[in-house]
Amino acid sequence: MKIVLCVKQVPDTSDIKWTENNTIQREGLESIINPYDVYAFESVLRLKKKYEDVTITALTMGPKQAEGMLRKLLAVGADDAVLLSDKKFAGADTYATGKTIAAAINSKFPDYDLIVCGQFAIDGDTAQTGPSIANFLDIPQVTYVKEIIEYSESCLTVLREIDDCIERVKVKLPALICVLQGDFEPSRASINGIIRAQKAVIPVYGIDDTGLEPEDAGLKGSPTYVNKAFRAPQKDVECVYTDSCTELADAIKCCGGLNE
Ligand code: FAD
């Protein structure tokens, strides 16, 4: 089974600093692998340990520096990695991002079986990219995947978490899944893995490798734009101590938190 794992490099949002104009101060901000993509990676590593014929190609669309993230994934167990990087991809919204990644997969990995994304990226947080890639490739998709159960007869069986229930879903490959947070201990790189990752040649693909026209990608290919970005107003938190549940319910009612 040939897997393309889509990973995004994101700013470490636990360490965000804001400018006076309420924009993110990106200078000096550390970049990390999107945490949901770490879960996605762990799920496919488990699959690779279970089935002999699984190969993982890590793919990211981003700046040249994203190569460092790809090398870390190679050190831990990805077989190959590719970087989509071109000035013409800059300013892409989720539509153009999905279209570019789908076009690159179609052009460079037409024989893929499974595309794996994280459910969300912790910076943009739209959860649109995975479904958008599936839509452009016209393949089935399963979102909110908690666990991959098995792979047999060109089908993947997964557990999907929605609201207060778990669904068991069987999907025919080729397909795309978006992976939620799982109960995983992140795998570590081995010494051999690190040496292999350092030596690996990571191809960099640009717009000419995707078959797209410049007006399909980046800002030009983006039908949406950010109208305004602002900091959410902070609510004052009041601590109320009560002796009984009835008193507590009255206190909540007073704050407008409960209907009569
Ligand atoms: P989600 O959809 O929440 O991510 C879900 C999953 O999709 C991830 O876990 C990952 O598996 C996959 N994924 C997402 N992005 C990538 C990627 N790049 N490569 C591989 N896999 C991926 N961002 C910029 O960095 N520079 C810009 O100039 C820029 N301009 C923008 C302009 C507009 C008008 C808009 C709306 C957005 C812009 N963005 C820009 C943000 C960019 O569109 C998003 O970062 C990107 O589309 C992913 O969306 P998301 O962060 O909501 O990810």
Side-chain angles (χ1 to χ4, degrees), residues 67-145:
E67 199 188 293
M69 169 187 72
L70 293 175
R71 286 196 195 277
K72 281 186 192 158
L73 296 172
L74 286 169
V76 177
D79 297 277
D80 298 293
V82 295
L83 173 61
L84 308 183
S85 198
D86 192 316
K87 282 190 179 144
K88 297 196 176 71
F89 297 154
D93 66 1
T94 51
Y95 180 86
T97 303
K99 192 176 205 176
T100 306
I101 294 175
I105 293 174
N106 213 12
S107 148
K108 296 292 174 186
F109 309 101
D111 57 346
Y112 69 90
D113 297 293
L114 180 66
I115 301 172
V116 180
C117 290
Q119 181 61 44
F120 310 98
I122 58 167
D123 55 347
D125 204 10
T126 63
Q128 290 172 0
T129 310
S132 172
I133 298 169
N135 183 52
F136 282 114
L137 291 171
D138 198 17
I139 54 171
Q141 57 176 288
V142 187
T143 54
Y144 292 92
V145 170

Side-chain angles (χ1 to χ4, degrees), residues 6-8 34 37 61 91-93 97 118 121 124 126-129 224-225:
C6 297
V7 282
K8 185 181 181 194
N34 177 39
D37 301 349
M61 177 173 131
D93 66 1
T97 303
T126 63
Q128 290 172 0
T129 310
T224 59
Y225 65 94

Side-chain angles (χ1 to χ4, degrees), residues 104-194:
I105 293 174
N106 213 12
S107 148
K108 296 292 174 186
F109 309 101
D111 57 346
Y112 69 90
D113 297 293
L114 180 66
I115 301 172
V116 180
C117 290
Q119 181 61 44
F120 310 98
I122 58 167
D123 55 347
D125 204 10
T126 63
Q128 290 172 0
T129 310
S132 172
I133 298 169
N135 183 52
F136 282 114
L137 291 171
D138 198 17
I139 54 171
Q141 57 176 288
V142 187
T143 54
Y144 292 92
V145 170
K146 188 85 178 144
E147 197 181 334
I148 301 173
I149 300 295
E150 66 169 1
Y151 154 54
S152 69
E153 293 164 6
S154 301
C155 287
L156 198 71
T157 306
V158 298
L159 295 185
R160 174 170 196 265
E161 189 176 282
I162 41 159
D163 295 332
D164 54 355
C165 76
I166 305 277
E167 284 180 344
R168 192 182 165 103
V169 178
K170 192 170 180 180
V171 62
K172 193 157 176 34
L173 302 179
L176 180 145
I177 60 170
C178 297
V179 178
L180 263 183
Q181 187 168 354
D183 303 322
F184 302 124
E185 271 295 311
S187 299
R188 288 163 188 266
S190 63
I191 298 288
N192 283 345
I194 294 170

Side-chain angles (χ1 to χ4, degrees), residues 13 29 31 37-38 63 79-80 90 179 183 192 230 237 244 246 249 255:
T13 47
L29 203 60
S31 290
D37 301 349
V38 175
D79 297 277
D80 298 293
V179 178
D183 303 322
N192 283 345
F230 56 93
V237 178
S244 71
T246 321
C255 303

